[in-house]
Amino acid sequence: MPELPEVEEVRRRLSRAMAGVRIERVELRRQDLRGPFAADFASRLAGQTVRRVTRRAKYLLAALSSGDTLVMHLGMSGSFRVERGDETDVPGVFHYDRSRSTRHDHVLFELLNGTRVMFNDPRRFGSMVLVGPDELSTHPALAGLGPEPLSRGFDADALARALRGKTTTLKAVLLDQQVVAGLGNIYVCEALHRARLSPKRRASSMVAPGGSARPQLVALVDGIRAVLRKALKCNARYRGDDDRFDVYDREGRRCPRRGCPGAIRRIVQGGRSTYYCPVCQR
DNA sequence: CCGCGGGCCTGAGAGC
DNA sequence: TGCTCTCAGGCCCGCG
């Protein structure tokens, strides 16, 4: 499920559960997610206090008292479950809700305050790696990531520099995490619809011959920001509500833009579904 | 260097 | 009911 807004929501929950708390022990119930765990993964985490939980692109970063950072990715189907154990008659001993499916529970964090945090990931596209202080900035997963779309560093000029000379489509460049970090298939579709730009359009066509941003690039930046902000708000309020998208997974429905007579179409680009309105997106 | 297709996994849903 | 097929919100690799 996770693109930037959903990962950010997970970050908040994780932070509430883990920030300032010591990890008592870590249990690997499987030895592999996207790759195998390092042999000392669990032992290096035990006894560390989580300083803070931040996000970069779709990665979650837990900074630890040791100076290490736990870098986590949810892949397509990863999620965390936070269980606060109810204290039993015996002080310090807790029991937990066992009613949920635990089939794909892979990593368990037991915190000193009795809270358990479980990483569950059916498809196992997720990943977890412990990174030392010196390697963090050069770590392949994080090095080369583009600007955060909601930060100052992301504007029409920055985007113009990234798109200049690119022969691919707008859809493809916006999915490229080096161009802008955190968008996925859904929010790229949504942002392009909002900016009234065709996903099939050539990326370089957004840049004027001199290299400056065309006005539509400003609209694209605004569109990206708007759909992300809206999603961040929705996640916090409803969460799990369907119907929150204008075009994604709405093939055949009417274009929601006021006065637009178009219908949403689905095409395949780079092996993935794109949804857009061929009438108002050019 | 770049863009594309395939692979990694499992589960849900559609259609027969 | 049960089989088969397609598709899924991410990322990495190898090929041309």
Side-chain angles (χ1 to χ4, degrees):
Chain A
M1 50 161 79
E3 298 180 32
L4 187 152
E6 294 78 25
V7 177
E8 180 58 24
E9 183 63 19
V10 172
R11 185 201 68 76
R12 273 187 223 140
R13 283 185 42 237
L14 271 192
S15 180
R16 244 178 279 140
M18 300 182 92
V21 184
R22 208 173 88 147
I23 298 168
E24 175 88 333
R25 67 181 271 275
V26 172
E27 186 182 318
L28 297 182
R29 309 186 45 173
R30 263 199 90 106
Q31 291 300 321
D32 62 313
L33 288 177
R34 191 144 71 218
F37 286 97
D40 61 349
F41 181 83
S43 60
R44 246 170 101 183
L45 280 163
Q48 298 306 316
T49 297
V50 177
R51 293 276 184 237
R52 35 196 235 126
V53 183
T54 57
R55 180 191 57 74
R56 174 75 172 107
K58 298 169 197 168
Y59 290 91
L60 291 159
L61 311 175
L64 307 171
S65 47
S66 60
D68 287 344
T69 301
L70 176 58
V71 179
M72 300 172 278
H73 197 290
L74 302 172
M76 293 275 257
S77 57
S79 66
F80 284 95
R81 204 167 68 237
V82 176
E83 302 176 350
R84 291 184 203 282
D86 299 319
E87 201 154 2
T88 59
D89 296 343
V90 185
V93 176
F94 302 83
H95 61 80
Y96 301 91
D97 179 14
R98 294 259 165 218
S99 60
R100 308 181 61 152
S101 165
T102 58
R103 198 146 118 72
H104 300 288
D105 285 353
H106 304 315
V107 185
L108 168 65
F109 299 85
E110 288 187 332
L111 308 186
L112 204 57
N113 62 7
T115 300
R116 291 156 45 113
V117 176
M118 183 70 82
F119 180 68
N120 179 287
D121 185 8
R123 289 177 77 176
R124 272 183 289 123
F125 289 173
S127 65
M128 267 188 209
V129 61
L130 214 38
V131 178
D134 306 329
E135 336 155 69
L136 188 59
S137 61
T138 58
H139 193 273
L142 304 174
L145 283 174
E148 286 289 322
L150 296 176
S151 75
R152 305 238 162 231
F154 181 67
D155 58 21
D157 289 336
L159 204 46
R161 280 193 295 277
L163 302 200
R164 190 177 184 174
K166 291 240 184 210
T167 56
T168 12
T169 60
L170 274 185
K171 171 79 187 299
V173 285
L174 295 182
L175 280 176
D176 184 347
Q177 302 297 298
Q178 315 230 53
V179 170
V180 53
L183 295 180
N185 204 36
I186 291 179
Y187 294 109
V188 167
C189 292
E190 296 294 308
L192 286 170
H193 179 258
R194 206 171 254 257
R196 307 185 60 155
L197 290 164
S198 168
K200 295 190 280 192
R201 190 165 158 159
R202 202 178 247 257
S204 60
S205 75
M206 304 294 291
V207 184
S212 63
R214 290 188 191 279
Q216 285 162 315
L217 213 37
V218 178
L220 183 53
V221 168
D222 290 346
I224 291 168
R225 289 220 174 99
V227 297
L228 293 179
R229 289 220 185 87
K230 181 185 168 204
L232 283 165
K233 236 185 260 175
C234 285
N235 281 348
R237 245 178 315 145
Y238 322 101
R239 115 169 101 179
D241 179 24
D242 213 18
D243 232 32
R244 59 204 149 129
F245 305 126
D246 286 343
V247 292
Y248 184 80
D249 202 19
R250 295 181 73 85
E251 185 181 18
R253 315 279 276 275
R254 260 206 54 190
C255 174
R257 173 167 281 111
R258 253 189 89 69
C260 179
I264 305 308
R265 269 182 57 189
R266 173 183 179 271
I267 59 172
V268 175
Q269 292 179 291
R272 318 192 56 193
S273 292
T274 298
Y275 298 88
Y276 75 112
C277 172
V279 176
C280 67
Q281 291 179 251
R282 322 286 336 187

